[in-house]
Amino acid sequence: MARLVPFVLAPFIIFQNKTSKKGISMFVKAFIIGNLILLLALDFIAIYDMLMANSVFVELGKHKYYRFLYTRYTMGDYFSHIYLSAYTLLTLVLVHQFNFFRKRIKWILTLYLLIHLFMMGSRAVVISIILASFLFLLIASMLKAKFFRYLLLLLLGLTLLSTAAYMFKDTIFFNRYSQIFEWYGKRDKVLERNYSINKRIKIYIIGSSFFKTKSFEIDGTGIVDSQIEKRYNERFKNEFNFKTETYNAHNQYIHNFIDWGYLGILVLLFLLFLLVKDATKKRYLWVLFFWLFFAILLSMESFLIRQRGIMLFIIFGSLFMSKDNLISTIKNEG
């Protein structure tokens, strides 16, 4: 762990002491362009895979998957779709917060990024975006009446999407999102099944039990998986069947609590509070939306247990909280 400290702290030191606004502007542009290039490359890989296989579908047992989606986002070995989804949303936020592109190009990029967010199939990211949008617009509507119309549009859009997901719940394209309808009136099925989302709920049941028994001590780092497995075998094995390859908490707050107790959660909440407060104070509305999304996402994913999550949090947290009004400067450059 010690060897990772300089690696983790380096971006924080760089951005806290950065004097060149042009350099930061170049970094933000590079991040946007880099993410777009990666998504385009994955598009070509998926198309090539379809052509070589001469099939639109991937068949695994009784299940079929669209090859175009499967190759890149669902089960592929290229990357974690959770992290890329967060990077893609951040790219969308940067495109709108900074004035790098003309209006028409900006909205073309918006459509392209939104399509990819949907295709990546990360339910945690989709749910976090929806909840963050609702929370952001609810707060904004209280401050400025003009945002109320956007809140109504969001609710209308959610109604239409929910209706579509229900009507086509048996199709390959919507089955990842329509599983929620299976729970209505069948809550006993949640603990009987071993689908990915049912496993997640079981993990949360086991993980949340630590809040009732854990004291104030700090037990260490990297013990979460073993502790959850041990807790399941000791207390929950007779309550429900739980077959899984990993005992990842899939919840950063639970993860921090098991590792570091109450201090772990308090430090994380304090950092998130600072980021949200700073974005609100400076009226960085798109940035505020992203941190609301990020805070909600942490309740469904242990996003900060890998370098690719830690680096994003530290780099952009430091950048957005700079004392100078960097975003206004970059807008002027645009």
Side-chain angles (χ1 to χ4, degrees):
M1 292 297 295
R3 63 186 174 87
L4 295 178
V5 173
F7 178 70
V8 171
L9 291 181
F12 179 80
I13 296 172
I14 290 172
F15 282 101
Q16 284 298 102
N17 295 281
K18 192 74 176 178
T19 56
S20 172
K21 295 183 178 64
K22 185 177 181 180
I24 295 178
S25 175
M26 290 177 61
F27 173 83
V28 174
K29 290 177 183 177
F31 181 86
I32 294 172
I33 294 172
N35 200 86
L36 291 172
I37 291 174
L38 176 58
L39 292 177
L40 284 170
L42 293 171
D43 289 341
F44 283 112
I45 291 172
I47 293 170
Y48 177 80
D49 185 51
M50 277 197 301
L51 293 175
M52 291 297 99
N54 195 29
S55 174
V56 177
F57 299 104
V58 173
E59 296 188 23
L60 293 176
K62 298 180 181 179
H63 299 285
K64 281 187 176 182
Y65 303 94
Y66 284 117
R67 185 172 291 274
F68 185 76
L69 307 181
Y70 182 93
T71 301
R72 300 171 300 168
Y73 303 132
T74 307
M75 300 292 288
D77 295 327
Y78 299 109
F79 51 81
S80 168
H81 64 296
I82 301 296
Y83 288 94
L84 185 59
S85 296
Y87 293 172
T88 301
L89 180 65
L90 179 56
T91 301
L92 179 62
V93 165
L94 295 174
V95 165
H96 282 272
Q97 186 69 76
F98 296 168
N99 192 25
F100 291 141
F101 305 99
R102 296 180 182 273
K103 189 174 182 178
R104 181 176 297 179
I105 295 176
K106 185 193 316 186
W107 287 106
I108 291 173
L109 291 177
T110 297
L111 180 62
Y112 180 75
L113 292 169
L114 286 175
I115 290 173
H116 280 71
L117 280 169
F118 179 76
M119 288 194 303
M120 283 182 222
S122 170
R123 286 166 295 200
V125 170
V126 171
I127 292 171
S128 299
I129 289 174
I130 292 173
L131 293 178
S133 299
F134 178 77
L135 182 59
F136 171 77
L137 290 175
L138 185 63
I139 296 172
S141 299
M142 295 178 181
L143 299 175
K144 288 188 178 181
K146 71 173 185 178
F147 283 99
F148 185 69
R149 73 182 75 170
Y150 300 119
L151 178 60
L152 293 178
L153 286 174
L154 174 65
L155 294 175
L156 176 62
L158 292 178
T159 301
L160 293 175
L161 288 173
S162 299
T163 302
Y166 180 77
M167 291 177 63
F168 301 99
K169 60 183 177 181
D170 296 324
T171 63
I172 297 173
F173 203 67
F174 280 97
N175 63 358
R176 284 182 64 81
Y177 300 99
S178 60
Q179 291 178 25
I180 188 171
F181 298 113
E182 298 177 4
W183 298 353
Y184 183 74
K186 302 178 182 178
R187 296 183 181 180
D188 56 318
K189 297 292 184 182
V190 172
L191 296 181
E192 289 180 12
R193 294 176 176 176
N194 268 306
Y195 299 155
S196 61
I197 195 165
N198 299 82
K199 291 180 181 179
R200 189 73 61 91
I201 293 172
K202 293 175 183 179
I203 279 284
Y204 293 158
I205 293 173
I206 300 168
S208 61
S209 70
F210 284 89
F211 289 97
K212 300 177 182 178
T213 60
K214 192 175 177 66
S215 59
F216 287 87
E217 78 274 7
I218 298 176
D219 290 329
T221 300
I223 64 172
V224 175
D225 288 26
S226 61
Q227 289 294 308
I228 289 179
E229 182 178 10
K230 181 180 178 182
R231 178 62 60 92
Y232 168 68
N233 289 323
E234 290 178 349
R235 302 191 181 189
F236 295 95
K237 196 169 185 178
N238 295 327
E239 292 189 26
F240 51 79
N241 183 31
F242 187 34
K243 296 179 181 179
T244 182
E245 297 178 358
T246 174
Y247 288 88
N248 184 335
H250 289 291
N251 183 305
Q252 193 65 54
Y253 304 105
I254 292 176
H255 187 104
N256 280 27
F257 185 76
I258 295 175
D259 265 354
W260 305 324
Y262 290 98
L263 178 62
I265 284 193
L266 289 174
V267 169
L268 178 58
L269 291 175
F270 179 66
L271 290 173
L272 292 172
F273 169 75
L274 289 179
L275 291 168
V276 170
K277 179 183 177 182
D278 183 75
T280 304
K281 181 179 178 181
K282 295 176 180 176
R283 296 188 179 275
Y284 296 173
L285 296 183
W286 282 97
V287 175
L288 172 61
F289 164 73
F290 179 78
W291 290 130
L292 290 173
F293 154 82
F294 192 80
I296 295 170
L297 179 65
L298 293 184
S299 67
M300 289 176 276
E301 293 293 344
S302 300
F303 195 86
L304 300 176
I305 65 173
R306 304 187 188 280
Q307 288 94 331
R308 50 192 164 185
I310 295 172
M311 294 295 284
L312 178 140
F313 184 63
I314 292 176
I315 290 175
F316 285 95
S318 301
L319 187 152
F320 292 140
M321 286 189 67
S322 173
K323 294 179 181 178
D324 298 321
N325 197 338
L326 299 175
I327 293 180
S328 296
T329 303
I330 295 175
K331 279 185 176 180
N332 290 333
E333 289 179 3

